[in-house]
Structures are given as C-alpha cells and as structure tokens.
Amino acid sequence: MEFNVLIGGEAGQGMFSVELELSETLSRLGYPFFATKNYMSRIRGGHNYHMIRVADRPVHALSGKPWDLVIAMDSAETERRHRPSLAADGIFLGADRVGQIEAEARETFRDPTASSTILAGLILACIGAEPSASRPLAPDESAARALAKGGEFAARWGLAARRVITPRPGDRCKLDGNQAIALGALMGGCQFVAGYPMTPATSIMHYFASVASEIPVHFEQAEDEIAALNMALGASYAGLRSMVATSGGGFALMTEAVSLAGMTETPVVVIDAQRPGPATGLPTRTEQGDLNFVLHAGHGEFPRVIFAPGSIEEAISLTRRAFDVADRWQIPVFILTDQYLADSVQVMEGRVPTKMLRRDYPVFEAGYRRYAITDTGVSPLTYPGLSEARVEVDSDEHTEDGKITEDLDLRVRMVDKRLRKLEGLRKEAVMPSRAGDRRAPTVLVSWGSNRQIVEEAVEALRAEGIAVSSVHFGQVYPLTAPMARGLARKRLICIENNATGQFGQLLRRELGLKVAHRILKYSGECFTVAELVERVRKILG
C-alpha cells in the first residue's frame, strides 16, 4: 500500500514548508517515505513541485505511478501540468480549497504560514494517521492545533482515511543526500571545510556553517572556488582533514588546485554535486554528466579515487571512507553526487559505520624526507611544528626532501612513485553491490544515485517473470578486474543520467565489458521506477 502526493505551485508559495513539516512528522510516526523535489532556478514565480511517496514498506525512489493526491498552490499551472497524471480515484485539491485553508490560517492562527502545517495534517489524515498520534510530535500547541485542523478539513471534504497506511515504528532517522555527506565527513574526521555556494552543493556548506561553533570543524566561505580548494590544501598541509563541496561549474575553477594536490601529494576530499551543464546549464536539476570531467580533471598524471554513493547509507559510509583513503594514500578523493540525491529525503534503513576516524600525527626527526621513494608509492607524512622534521613541499618536481629539481632521471622515479599508489588502491577498491538473481542473463548496471531506482525496477521486473539482476558501482574509479567477475557473459544494460553513456564507456575501456544497451536520461529529471521498468521491457521485448 502506498500514497503518492504532489504539491505544486510557484516558488515562494510554501510547498517546501509543507514537505518539511510532513516529512518530519512522517518520520517521527514511523512511516516509510521518500520525498524529492523539482524546482526552477528562481526565487519567486515559475513552477516547482514537491513529490512525496508514503508506503507501508521501505521506499527509496519515485514510483512513477499516477498521483493519489495533487495539491495546487497556484491557480492554473499545477492543474495543467499534473492533473492528467492523477489516478482515477485520485484527489485534486485546487487553489480554491487551498485558499480556504489559507483563510483559516489567517483567521484562526493569525499566521498565514500555518497553512503549511494544516496541509501536512490534511495529508496525514488522508493516510489514516490519528490526530492523537501526531499531536505530541508537534513543536508547540499552535502547530498541534494546525495539524488537527488539517484533519478537520480532510473529514469535511471526505478525504480522511482514503488510503490507510500502517506505520512501522522503530528507531530510524531521515536524511537528505547532502546531510548524509556532511555526516559522513564528520565520521571521517573532517576538520576543515571551505567552499563557495553553488547549487546543489550549498546545503553541505550551510550545514557546516551553522554548526561550526558547536563541533570541531572550521568552515570558511571562500571568495571563489579556486581559493576554496587552495585553502583546503593549505589546511591539509598544516594537519587538518579537509574537504570542499561544489558543483561542476565550481569544480572547473578548482582543477589547477587538483593538480597541486596531485603533485604535492596532499590529502583532500572534493564533493562534486552534479547538475546539468555545460556552463550554468540547468542549475537546479539533476544529471550525471561530470564523470569524465572529474576522471580527467587536472593536468599531468596522478592517482585519484572517485566514489559515487547510491543511497543515504552509502553517502555516509563512502564519504567517511574518502577521508581515510585520502590520508593513507595522500591523494585527492572525489565524491560524485547529484541534485537528485542531494535533495531527496528518506528514512535511513541500513546500518552505517559509527566509529569516527582521525588523522594520525606521526613524528619524525631531522633528516625527514617528505617524498621518500617507497615500494608502495606512499611517503611518510607529517605536519609542520610537530618535531624537528622540516616539512618541505613544492608544486615543481622535487627531490625526496622536497626541493625543486630538474633531474630528469629523478623525475621519472617520482612519477613512477606516485602512480605506484594505484596498485594499492585497486587492492582495496569498494566492490559493486548486486541485487536480484545472479543467474539472470540480463544485468542492469548503474552508478551513483540511480541505485535504488534500478533495484526497485529489478524487483518489479522479476515479479513479472522477467529474469534480471542489477549491479551498482559505488566506486567508479579505479575499476578492477574482480568488479567485473561474472559480468562478461551477461547482457548489460547501463542506466545513466547523461547523454553519452560515460560510465558504459569507462567499463569498456577499463574492464573490457561491453554494454549491449544504454538507457539514458538527460532532461534534468531523475528516472522513476515505472519509467525504467517500461524502458527495460522494450529492450527485452
């Protein structure tokens, strides 16, 4: 059983407030839900809509089924766009009825913003939530009365208990993708964050800016992205685990500093929250178009690791891991997320590592060589001021003790030293996760945020008797031979939110895997489960 809600209107009309209040109450009552949003790049006007799927089981994607309830905050646009997608027995709550709720908010509560809480109460009543259950969860008496008023509207209009859903009480929390990345960074021992605001990465920085006085993390809003990554490298050199967060356009400015990290072997974590490009593109929509860019960003040759989380749990665990990998291998590590994951809210169902990681601070004596050539490619790392050791680094090619050199033989040995890290990085690569029947001849391949959409689509296809399974890559570089085990003889269908199938090309180049079919979407919107099921059906005949 599930209930799918769309709330549409112009920017500034309060749809986001309804989503926030509803998702908070749903989470506290124990309802599994998934919420995401589609919004334009403007402060006022346009057409935005928020989508909420409530179910009696864990859900982590948009179903793509017809809407059970459409709420129009505007006079015509929401009805024009979304009423055709209303279920046959669905409810359309037009601007006239929303106007009655707003009038009640002004008259009874002397606060027009109370209409958001009333609407949240109305939706809760539609799924059969008892007002007595939600009342203790309201932040104050006024909010409790507003939630109850929503129930009264639902009863008056015959909407109460239209589709009763049973909650699943338990200890869970709700997070969006960016909150999960921020939590993962804290678990990874992050001590310094710098950035310049850029959608859809901004809320990561907003989180650190808002809590910087309460937790041992310094946040710096830089004058631009060039400065942000250079600040992070400086902080890392001085001894702090450091991170930057941006989107593709900001990352374009960071690429010279990426090379600096490669040459100086300075650990740093870089978050790229992808959005459609090139240039400003569609700044508030989603895409997976930056894979090739991040893979090749920076001049010269140096090792790197790229993670692409596909769930809230992976966003936490892979970000945490990124700090550990960056430190131990002294490289830049990238997290590729996107607007869809960043702005999607869901209840966390899985377990995540809870031990907080910390940077080691080894001490060396005078004669310390920052770039000592080793079998693993990893040189001893310490920080200025801890001992008599002189920590000398340089962006030029350098000797083992960090002095500039044009010794061409040493240049070759230094390049080989740095690239030797890849051997170790491959040995500890994160293996892809698999779902469905591994004996199935067809495998749906995904990376990044499409994971849970694909996995639910596989469940739906298998329920129809179609033999498919899925494989999801949370680490997209480096790729290793064990990752391809069992895939060479399968019919691979690669699902990506870009126009050229970048990951499919990488699979061919790195692992020799041939993708038989590609399902691509680059309109700026995410896939839905129903859409993906339909496109796979067409391929399989």
Side-chain angles (χ1 to χ4, degrees):
M1 181 71 71
E2 62 182 69
F3 192 69
N4 293 287
V5 182
L6 182 145
I7 309 163
E10 298 179 2
Q13 287 192 301
M15 293 83 69
F16 188 36
S17 297
V18 179
E19 182 200 313
L20 281 176
E21 297 196 37
L22 179 62
S23 60
E24 182 65 27
T25 309
L26 287 171
S27 175
R28 293 188 177 197
L29 288 173
Y31 284 96
F33 73 93
F34 174 84
T36 192
K37 52 193 71 67
N38 190 316
Y39 57 102
M40 292 182 164
S41 178
R42 59 183 69 186
I43 304 299
R44 287 286 186 273
H47 179 68
N48 297 352
Y49 51 100
H50 295 243
M51 298 155 281
I52 303 154
R53 180 187 183 193
V54 190
D56 55 5
R57 64 193 183 286
V59 286
H60 302 286
L62 292 174
S63 69
K65 295 178 180 176
W67 300 110
D68 298 299
L69 170 63
V70 171
I71 299 175
M73 308 285 278
D74 53 10
S75 59
E77 192 64 12
T78 298
E79 181 170 9
R80 184 184 72 80
R81 288 179 182 244
H82 304 292
R83 189 159 190 165
S85 302
L86 193 64
D89 60 347
I91 307 158
F92 182 80
L93 208 65
D96 54 340
R97 289 197 162 177
V98 172
Q100 294 179 45
I101 288 174
E102 291 172 346
E104 184 77 27
R106 284 192 295 271
E107 182 177 334
T108 303
F109 298 95
R110 307 294 180 192
D111 178 9
T113 64
S115 59
S116 300
T117 311
I118 297 173
L119 278 169
L122 181 145
I123 296 168
L124 289 167
C126 288
I127 61 172
E130 290 293 332
S132 57
S134 56
R135 186 180 182 87
L137 305 177
D140 53 44
E141 179 58 25
S142 178
R145 289 172 53 219
L147 282 171
K149 185 64 69 177
E152 292 173 18
F153 273 106
R156 187 187 311 165
W157 294 337
L159 308 179
R162 286 288 290 266
R163 190 156 299 169
V164 176
I165 294 176
T166 305
R168 293 160 49 102
D171 293 329
R172 303 183 187 90
C173 67
K174 71 174 180 72
L175 293 170
D176 66 33
N178 277 357
Q179 289 172 330
I181 284 175
L183 180 58
L186 291 175
M187 299 305 296
C190 179
Q191 299 162 289
F192 181 92
V193 179
Y196 184 82
M198 189 170 191
T199 303
T202 303
S203 61
I204 297 174
M205 288 168 268
H206 183 264
Y207 171 79
F208 283 105
S210 63
V211 300
S213 61
E214 303 168 12
I215 59 175
V217 178
H218 179 86
F219 173 74
E220 188 74 28
Q221 179 169 322
E223 63 266 36
D224 56 38
E225 288 86 351
I226 301 172
L229 186 47
N230 281 308
M231 284 179 181
L233 294 181
S236 183
Y237 164 77
L240 303 181
R241 283 192 164 180
S242 303
M243 181 180 90
V244 295
T246 187
S247 184
F251 184 66
L253 296 174
M254 291 181 175
T255 53
E256 184 175 355
V258 171
S259 296
L260 181 62
M263 176 56 98
T264 60
E265 302 182 56
T266 304
V268 70
V269 175
V270 179
I271 311 295
D272 177 7
Q274 299 167 99
R275 67 191 205 187
T280 308
L282 294 170
T284 59
R285 310 304 172 98
T286 199
E287 198 164 278
Q288 293 181 307
D290 291 353
L291 174 58
N292 282 341
F293 179 32
V294 172
L295 184 61
H296 300 289
H299 53 287
E301 299 165 297
F302 54 91
R304 69 191 70 196
V305 169
I306 306 174
F307 294 126
S311 66
I312 294 295
E313 291 82 358
E314 273 195 338
I316 297 171
S317 61
L318 290 179
T319 306
R320 175 181 180 270
R321 184 185 183 93
F323 283 88
D324 179 56
V325 172
D327 257 27
R328 287 191 294 106
W329 296 95
Q330 301 169 28
I331 57 170
V333 177
F334 302 89
I335 303 286
L336 269 177
T337 179
D338 51 42
Q339 180 270 330
Y340 166 64
L341 183 60
D343 286 336
S344 295
V345 184
Q346 52 189 303
V347 177
M348 195 171 76
E349 301 287 342
R351 302 180 72 86
V352 295
T354 54
K355 182 181 178 182
M356 183 175 287
L357 304 177
R358 298 186 186 281
R359 174 172 271 186
D360 293 330
Y361 291 91
V363 173
F364 296 92
E365 302 300 326
Y368 165 73
R369 294 179 300 162
R370 170 66 187 94
Y371 298 116
I373 293 177
T374 65
D375 292 340
T376 61
V378 178
S379 305
L381 176 61
T382 190
Y383 310 99
L386 297 183
S387 68
E388 293 299 316
R390 180 170 175 172
V391 186
E392 197 165 348
V393 302
D394 204 287
S395 63
D396 283 48
E397 193 54 272
H398 37 250
T399 62
E400 290 185 78
D401 55 3
K403 293 182 172 55
I404 295 174
T405 183
E406 295 202 22
D407 179 330
L408 302 187
D409 289 333
L410 181 56
R411 155 69 181 177
V412 172
R413 284 188 285 142
M414 277 294 174
V415 171
D416 290 344
K417 180 196 95 74
R418 290 190 287 267
L419 292 180
R420 242 185 338 262
K421 297 177 186 178
L422 275 171
E423 298 172 20
L425 289 168
R426 288 193 175 98
K427 290 177 183 174
E428 61 177 52
V430 177
M431 293 295 288
S433 57
R434 304 195 178 198
D437 183 358
R438 291 193 178 202
R439 296 167 299 179
T442 301
V443 180
L444 307 188
V445 181
S446 68
W447 64 281
S449 65
N450 283 327
R451 173 180 175 168
Q452 292 172 311
I453 305 169
V454 171
E455 289 181 353
E456 187 171 343
V458 165
E459 287 180 18
L461 289 162
R462 294 185 67 207
E464 296 177 10
I466 299 174
V468 294
S469 66
S470 68
V471 58
H472 173 267
F473 288 78
Q475 176 170 324
V476 293
Y477 188 82
L479 297 175
T480 67
M483 292 177 172
R485 193 168 294 146
L487 296 178
R489 295 183 180 179
K490 304 284 187 180
R491 174 160 58 176
L492 303 182
I493 302 176
C494 197
I495 292 100
E496 302 187 56
N497 283 112
N498 58 56
T500 57
Q502 295 180 25
F503 189 63
Q505 295 171 20
L506 190 63
L507 287 174
R508 181 67 178 266
R509 191 186 80 191
E510 295 287 319
L511 301 179
L513 291 176
K514 184 179 179 182
V515 172
H517 306 278
R518 299 180 301 178
I519 297 179
L520 308 175
K521 187 171 185 178
Y522 41 96
S523 64
E525 294 184 325
C526 64
F527 288 102
T528 68
V529 174
E531 173 189 12
L532 193 54
V533 166
E534 180 61 25
R535 293 182 70 171
V536 173
R537 272 201 216 106
K538 284 183 180 177
I539 290 173
L540 299 182

